[in-house]
Amino acid sequence: MVTSVSQNKRVVSGMRPTGKLHLGHYHGVLKNWIKLQHEYECIFFVVDWHALTTHYENSRIIKENVWEVVIDWLAAGINPGSAHICIQSWIPEVAELHLLLSMITPLGWLERVPSYKDQQEKLKELDLATYGFLGYSALQAADILLYKASYVPVGEDQVAHIEIAREIARRFNHIYGREPDFNEIAEVSVNKMGKKNAKIYRELRRKYQEQGDAAALEVAQALLDEQQNISMGDRERLLGYLEGSGRIILPVPEVLLTEDSRLPGLDGQKMSKSYHNTIMLREDLDQVEAKIRTMQTDPARVRRTDPGEPDKCPVWGLHKVYSNDEVKNWVQTGCRSAGIGCLDCKKPLIDAVKKELEPIQAAAKEYEANPKLVESIVREGTEVAREQARETLIEVREAIGLDY
Ligand code: TRP
Ligand code: SF4
């Protein structure tokens, strides 16, 4: 259901172009995006510049990977009629905002992001002691703040980055949102809403500021959302005036934490290309079947007659995602009593995974055969996102005083 509130909330998220996607991406990210696209205005982009922060020496693979990712998104069900699909580097405004944000971003914030040190340790073969890699979070903040996102759907591992984006937005608003004579200008904006709404706004603002009434704050924010006859600048000023801060030029986004659907890989670890335990969305179905048939089971179950323990078996991890209660009960009892064999146990999974992949693969074939269509989808999505990007930058330049 699309409600009037969610219609003007925007969801923004990005994915690095690492090549063809696997079932871990599908269950961990894409299914969530597919759901969100019906509830909010969504902008999803392939972050090719972020790929460059680590792969600057191997930059030529990025191009192909970008298109593979887009094809998998579309095939999985990201609908270009509902969501805007874009490529980060096609929106040069991202680079300008990144530069401007870099001026106010304290070095310590960037150095303290856990993944900054982690990745340097982990990817020892790459020299990541670069200016660009340090700025990874600031670039991500630009991605998000440029579109004035309300929500950013990400997994746990990205929360620290989004936290920085929030800090940067607050700092920007704090430094540049304080126009001289802010209160007087804000009062003029209040009056533009008309007598009745102005009165309601003042009343709600008083309730919030004097009594900390959070419900009043929400009602007032909704009231501002509904106003047709005030400009974007007035709205930002009034949002800030409401909360007692300056003008809010870059709204502070919120994390929409993607619950960890934890689709394990074939070995029970997290599914990941670097662990070689994936099932790719476009993998040949016979090969998918062979992979599941040969995947590890409870190591204690050497013979068919040995009872097993699902909790020690990677196959069970897949059942948790794919099977209904009836099948799950059948596995639990059958495994522990040695009533079923491991191949019996895998059969319903093989069917479920194939059934899930079939329509995705059929759609992918069509997109693969029609690269012009894919490109035009991305061009259109990028153009829409760019409109917003241009608007934001006009406001940002003006707030800083670079509007000449
Ligand atoms: N850093 C994110 C990742 O590795 C990708 C990303 C870049 C992103 N920009 C973003 C995610 C903006 C959400 C919003 O997954
Ligand atoms: Fe794993 Fe199923 Fe075999 Fe039990 S029966 S060990 S859950 S594959």
Side-chain angles (χ1 to χ4, degrees):
M1 262 297 287
V2 178
T3 68
S4 64
V5 177
S6 53
Q7 260 169 353
N8 40 38
K9 300 252 181 199
R10 183 176 286 145
V11 162
V12 163
S13 201
M15 192 186 279
R16 276 171 298 155
T18 48
K20 289 194 173 118
L21 303 183
H22 53 65
L23 276 176
H25 296 113
Y26 181 66
H27 286 273
V29 182
L30 295 180
K31 271 172 66 176
N32 189 38
W33 287 8
I34 290 163
K35 179 166 79 61
L36 290 169
Q37 71 184 351
H38 301 300
E39 298 165 11
Y40 301 98
E41 191 201 346
C42 289
I43 299 179
F44 300 127
F45 36 81
V46 188
V47 290
D48 48 351
W49 279 335
H50 277 100
L52 212 49
T53 64
T54 49
H55 287 67
Y56 56 88
E57 283 191 289
N58 197 5
S59 54
R60 297 198 166 268
I61 58 163
I62 295 175
K63 188 200 248 170
E64 190 184 326
N65 288 351
V66 165
W67 294 111
E68 299 290 19
V69 165
V70 171
I71 288 176
D72 279 337
W73 286 3
L74 289 167
I78 305 289
N79 179 351
S82 314
H84 311 302
I85 298 180
C86 331
I87 294 176
Q88 183 187 37
S89 69
W90 284 4
I91 305 179
E93 286 77 8
V94 175
E96 183 175 343
L97 185 60
H98 172 235
L99 174 104
L100 295 173
L101 296 179
S102 78
M103 303 297 170
I104 62 159
T105 304
L107 269 184
W109 292 5
L110 299 173
E111 287 162 347
R112 274 197 298 274
V113 188
S115 62
Y116 176 61
K117 287 260 145 57
D118 288 357
Q119 295 284 89
Q120 285 188 335
E121 292 280 305
K122 226 161 119 198
L123 305 174
K124 276 235 165 62
E125 70 283 7
L126 305 172
D127 179 4
L128 295 183
T130 59
Y131 179 51
F133 187 66
L134 178 64
Y136 188 103
S137 291
L139 181 57
Q140 184 159 348
D143 280 336
I144 298 165
L145 303 179
L146 190 57
Y147 310 107
K148 305 197 173 191
S150 300
Y151 300 120
V152 188
V154 287
E156 190 64 49
D157 63 315
Q158 292 291 310
V159 173
H161 291 300
I162 312 302
E163 204 38 62
I164 297 235
R166 290 162 57 83
E167 293 297 339
I168 293 178
R170 286 196 197 100
R171 188 165 160 86
F172 186 93
N173 294 328
H174 178 75
I175 297 177
Y176 300 116
R178 305 224 162 243
E179 305 158 290
D181 309 324
F182 178 71
N183 288 8
E184 287 77 6
I185 302 173
E187 280 299 326
V188 173
S189 303
V190 177
N191 289 330
K192 287 190 194 157
M193 286 194 284
K195 257 213 176 87
K196 192 169 137 236
N197 286 330
K199 188 167 166 228
I200 302 175
Y201 173 89
R202 287 201 177 92
E203 183 62 18
L204 292 165
R205 175 171 181 265
R206 195 183 53 73
K207 274 199 184 149
Y208 175 67
Q209 295 203 351
E210 287 176 13
Q211 299 152 29
D213 184 340
L217 175 65
E218 263 183 47
V219 176
Q221 286 166 336
L223 177 75
L224 290 175
D225 262 356
E226 286 164 18
Q227 299 305 306
Q228 306 288 339
N229 47 352
I230 59 172
S231 71
M232 185 87 102
D234 285 325
R235 196 186 313 272
E236 289 157 2
R237 195 172 293 114
L238 292 176
L239 282 171
Y241 192 46
L242 194 57
E243 295 185 52
S245 62
R247 215 176 121 190
I248 296 189
I249 303 136
L250 299 175
V252 180
E254 271 173 57
V255 171
L256 260 191
L257 196 61
T258 312
E259 32 172 320
D260 198 353
S261 70
R262 223 169 250 294
L263 182 80
L266 295 166
D267 56 359
Q269 297 188 81
K270 185 183 155 134
M271 189 177 280
S272 160
K273 192 159 116 184
S274 44
Y275 297 153
H276 305 287
N277 62 358
T278 59
I279 294 175
M280 307 305 289
L281 294 184
R282 281 184 263 169
E283 193 154 336
D284 176 74
L285 292 181
D286 290 334
Q287 183 161 332
V288 171
E289 171 156 356
K291 275 189 173 175
I292 300 177
R293 286 173 78 95
T294 53
M295 77 183 270
Q296 294 170 26
T297 58
D298 176 0
R301 211 173 169 200
V302 183
R303 269 157 307 204
R304 166 71 175 76
T305 48
D306 297 334
E309 175 47 56
D311 285 333
K312 295 187 182 141
C313 177
V315 178
W316 173 241
L318 293 183
H319 275 294
K320 283 202 263 190
V321 175
Y322 283 97
S323 301
N324 61 25
D325 285 345
E326 197 189 327
V327 175
K328 282 193 271 193
N329 284 335
W330 169 78
V331 172
Q332 293 266 338
T333 346
C335 177
R336 293 191 178 121
S337 64
I340 59 171
C342 290
L343 272 179
D344 304 325
C345 178
K346 290 169 170 179
K347 184 77 179 73
L349 273 181
I350 293 171
D351 294 342
V353 173
K354 278 184 167 175
K355 191 160 159 239
E356 178 171 72
L357 291 180
E358 263 162 17
I360 296 177
Q361 297 194 352
K365 271 212 177 69
E366 305 231 336
Y367 289 114
E368 282 167 358
N370 204 343
K372 284 250 168 355
L373 170 67
V374 177
E375 186 184 325
S376 75
I377 288 171
V378 180
R379 291 226 177 266
E380 272 171 42
T382 302
E383 215 25 70
V384 177
R386 234 187 134 180
E387 292 281 313
Q388 172 66 53
R390 288 195 192 97
E391 271 180 36
T392 305
L393 265 170
I394 290 172
E395 294 172 44
V396 162
R397 290 189 207 109
E398 188 235 30
I400 300 177
L402 296 173
D403 50 340
Y404 35 80

